[in-house]
Amino acid sequence: MAATMTYHSPDPILVPLVCPPRLTTEHRVDFRRDALHALDAALAVGARAVTLDLGAVVEIDASGLGVLILLQKRARELGMRTRLVQVPGVVEQLLKETQMAPLFDIVRTG
C-alpha cells in the first residue's frame, strides 16, 4: 500500500481586506473595525500575515495611517506580518515620509 502525502500550506491564502477609497478621520471607525476583523480571520486559519488591498485608496490622513500602524502592531504581537498590496503612490509616499514603510510587507506587482 502506497503512502499518501498531504501538503498543508503554512500560510493559507486569504482574500485581502479591500480598503475604502478614503482612509481618513471620517472613515476611521469602520476601517479599524474591518481591519481588526481581517486580522482575526487570518489568525483563525493560521495565516502568518493579514493582507490589505489598498488599490482603491485615493486619500489617507494621520487617522488612516494610525489604523494601519495599530493593525501592524496587533499582528506583530500575534506573530503575524501585515502585507499591503496594490499600494497607491499617495500611501507609499506617506509611509516613506513617516518612516513607517519598514513595518509592512509591501507587495509590488508588475
Side-chain angles (χ1 to χ4, degrees):
M1 185 171 221
T4 304
M5 294 186 67
T6 304
Y7 174 74
H8 296 284
S9 172
D11 193 11
I13 296 173
L14 297 175
V15 175
L17 170 65
V18 177
C19 299
R22 300 200 185 320
L23 298 181
T24 59
T25 301
E26 297 82 28
H27 306 286
R28 173 181 47 86
V29 173
D30 291 338
F31 176 52
R32 180 180 185 274
R33 180 196 63 231
D34 294 345
L36 292 174
H37 282 299
L39 177 61
D40 289 342
L43 182 63
V45 297
R48 293 182 299 191
V50 60
T51 302
L52 302 177
D53 180 341
L54 299 168
V57 176
V58 295
E59 182 181 5
I60 185 169
D61 67 10
S63 293
L65 178 61
V67 175
L68 291 178
I69 293 168
L70 169 70
L71 181 67
Q72 185 278 335
K73 180 181 180 222
R74 295 244 176 114
R76 186 185 68 230
E77 289 169 353
L78 297 168
M80 299 170 67
R81 296 284 303 163
T82 305
R83 182 180 300 139
L84 307 179
V85 299
Q86 298 190 48
V87 181
V90 65
V91 175
E92 193 158 4
Q93 185 64 32
L94 181 61
L95 290 172
K96 286 179 183 176
E97 288 174 0
T98 58
Q99 299 180 357
M100 296 293 146
L103 296 178
F104 304 94
D105 292 338
I106 298 175
V107 179
R108 291 178 176 76
T109 56

